[in-house]
Amino acid sequence: MNLEIFKETLNRALAPADLPVYLKALWWDAKGDWDTAHELIQDVNDEKAAWIHAYLHRAEGDLANADYWYRRAGRQRPSVSLKEEWESMATELIDANQK
């Protein structure tokens, strides 16, 4: 899978079953369902999940909470657009999933 193929799955009603939780959260966010994305990722305790959690709170507009999660992820809040961050995250997570 690559980013283009991942984006093509957004035409479906449900996320592909074989996606890891990280990509499922990004999938639901791209579909406009912040609540499902947040629910999927909020109890996963690793740096990848913290990064997604940070992004979701940034998208929500809660920058203080986002910054907390970026720190947990070992990252800083980026200065790029949300779309650019989403694509960067999706690409990195897709690549990691294929290793």
Side-chain angles (χ1 to χ4, degrees):
M1 179 180 288
N2 61 32
L3 182 61
E4 184 177 321
I5 292 169
F6 180 61
K7 285 181 171 183
E8 288 174 7
T9 70
L10 296 170
N11 294 324
R12 301 178 184 181
L14 296 174
D18 60 341
L19 288 179
V21 67
Y22 312 106
L23 290 170
K24 280 184 183 174
L26 290 180
W27 191 93
W28 283 107
D29 174 70
K31 296 284 280 186
D33 191 339
W34 187 95
D35 290 326
T36 297
H38 188 258
E39 185 177 313
L40 282 168
I41 212 68
Q42 71 181 350
D43 294 326
V44 181
N45 293 312
D46 62 24
E47 287 183 351
K48 290 186 277 191
W51 185 22
I52 296 166
H53 207 149
Y55 162 83
L56 290 170
H57 284 292
R58 179 178 173 228
E60 178 189 36
D62 186 351
L63 298 183
N65 199 5
D67 287 342
Y68 166 80
W69 286 103
Y70 281 116
R71 284 191 301 276
R72 295 260 323 250
R75 298 175 182 263
Q76 292 186 353
R77 181 175 7 124
S79 58
V80 300
S81 71
L82 288 167
K83 179 183 179 204
E84 289 172 299
E85 184 179 14
W86 185 94
E87 289 183 350
S88 174
M89 294 170 73
T91 299
E92 186 173 319
L93 293 167
I94 288 165
D95 290 347
N97 189 51
Q98 294 178 1
K99 293 180 181 179

